[in-house]
Amino acid sequence: VADSNSVGTRNVRLSGIKAYLKYAATRDMELVPLQIGISAVKHKKTYPKRHNWLDKADVEVLLAQPPHTKIGIRDRFIILFLFSTGARLGEMRAIQLKDVIINEKYPYIRITGKGNKPRIVPIPADSFLENYKYYYRLYHHKGTPDDYLFYPTAKGSKEMMSEDNVQRILKKYGDAARRSNPKLPAVHPHLLRNSYGAQLYRLGVSLPEIAKLLGHEDISTTEIYAETDPEMA
C-alpha cells in the first residue's frame, strides 16, 4: 500500500526514529546495529519553498549591502544576529549585553522567549564572534551589563530599538539586495528566523533540537523545515 503522507511528513518521522534509536543505542548496546542501519536510510529529496527562507548565499548578498560606515556596521550585525540566532524580533530587541556570554569555553546567547522562558543559543563557530566584538567596540566601549545590545543612535540614549526601526533596516537592505538578485523575497525578521531553522536542518540538526533552539513549544511548528533538502549544505 502506498504511503499517503507527504514527503515532508515522512522525513519528519524518519528524523524522529533516527533520534530515538540514537538515544536508545546509548542505553542498550544490542540496538547499535539497528541504529547504524537506520541512520544509513536517506531522507527523501524535497525542494525548499523559496519564499519561506533564504539560503546562505542569499544572506551573503544581503550582508553585502550595508555601507562600511558606523551605522552600516550596526545594520549589518543586526542582519547577521537574526540569521545566526533565530531570535524573534522582540527577543532580539530585548537582548542586553549581559545576555551575550563570550568568556566561556562555548560562548552563547541567553534569549528570553515567549512567556519569559529562557533558552540558550550557542554562538556560531564562524565570523559571528569577531563581528560581535567589532560591533561592541564601536557601540559599547563604555557599556554596562544592562544596556540593550541594539539601540537607536538618533535619540542619544541606549533605549530599546523599536520594531519599526529594525523592520525599516531589513527592508532597506532587502530592497537593495533584490537589485542584485530579483528572486529574493521581501526581507523581514521572521524570514531570517526561518532561514536559521532551515539552515540547521540542512546541516543535519534534528527537529527536536531545532525546536529547542527556536523556542517552539510544539514541534509541529518546526516540521516546516522538513520541506528542505537535508543533503544541501
Side-chain angles (χ1 to χ4, degrees):
V1 178
D3 192 336
S4 60
N5 292 304
S6 69
V7 171
T9 298
R10 280 178 273 163
N11 281 341
V12 169
R13 290 178 177 177
L14 179 58
S15 294
I17 293 170
K18 286 182 176 181
Y20 174 75
L21 285 175
K22 184 177 180 180
Y23 165 77
T26 64
R27 310 296 294 249
D28 185 348
M29 294 297 293
E30 292 184 1
L31 292 175
V32 170
L34 176 61
Q35 187 266 326
I36 293 173
I38 294 298
S39 67
V41 177
K42 292 186 176 181
H43 290 75
K44 184 73 175 178
K45 271 196 175 182
T46 58
Y47 298 92
K49 294 182 178 179
R50 301 297 298 160
H51 293 288
N52 283 348
W53 41 71
L54 306 175
D55 61 26
K56 200 166 185 178
D58 295 333
V59 175
E60 287 174 355
V61 171
L62 185 60
L63 289 170
Q65 303 311 310
H68 295 287
T69 62
K70 185 176 179 179
I71 293 295
I73 289 166
R74 180 204 65 183
D75 294 351
R76 185 179 187 277
F77 188 60
I78 285 174
I79 297 168
L80 182 63
F81 187 94
L82 288 168
F83 176 68
S84 300
T85 66
R88 299 177 177 93
L89 174 55
E91 294 170 347
M92 185 212 78
R93 293 170 57 237
I95 293 289
Q96 296 173 301
L97 295 183
K98 63 185 178 184
D99 297 319
V100 184
I101 314 300
I102 63 172
N103 297 318
E104 299 281 346
K105 183 177 181 180
Y106 300 106
Y108 64 89
I109 297 169
R110 184 171 45 243
I111 294 177
T112 302
K114 292 181 178 179
N116 289 322
K117 292 182 179 179
R119 68 180 187 275
I120 299 300
V121 175
I123 289 178
D126 54 18
S127 63
F128 181 91
L129 190 56
E130 180 183 345
N131 277 272
Y132 168 75
K133 290 178 178 179
Y134 186 35
Y135 169 79
Y136 184 95
R137 288 196 299 270
L138 287 177
Y139 283 89
H140 291 287
H141 61 287
K142 294 182 180 179
T144 61
D146 289 331
D147 284 345
Y148 289 111
L149 178 60
F150 298 109
Y151 59 89
T153 57
K155 296 185 178 181
S157 62
K158 294 181 180 179
E159 62 185 57
M160 183 184 290
M161 184 176 284
S162 71
E163 291 187 3
D164 288 345
N165 201 10
V166 178
Q167 290 170 343
R168 176 189 58 78
I169 289 167
L170 296 185
K171 182 180 185 305
K172 173 183 176 181
Y173 298 117
D175 290 347
R178 268 194 301 282
R179 288 195 283 271
S180 300
N181 183 359
K183 293 183 179 180
L184 288 179
V187 177
H188 52 84
H190 208 75
L191 176 71
L192 293 174
R193 174 173 163 83
N194 280 341
S195 301
Y196 169 77
Q199 181 70 9
L200 290 178
Y201 187 78
R202 293 174 187 179
L203 292 172
V205 181
S206 70
L207 288 173
E209 186 63 23
I210 295 173
K212 182 179 178 181
L213 290 170
L214 287 172
H216 287 164
E217 293 186 0
D218 188 341
I219 197 172
S220 64
T221 307
T222 320
E223 291 177 359
I224 61 168
Y225 303 119
E227 297 173 355
T228 66
D229 178 358
E231 294 182 1
M232 290 178 64

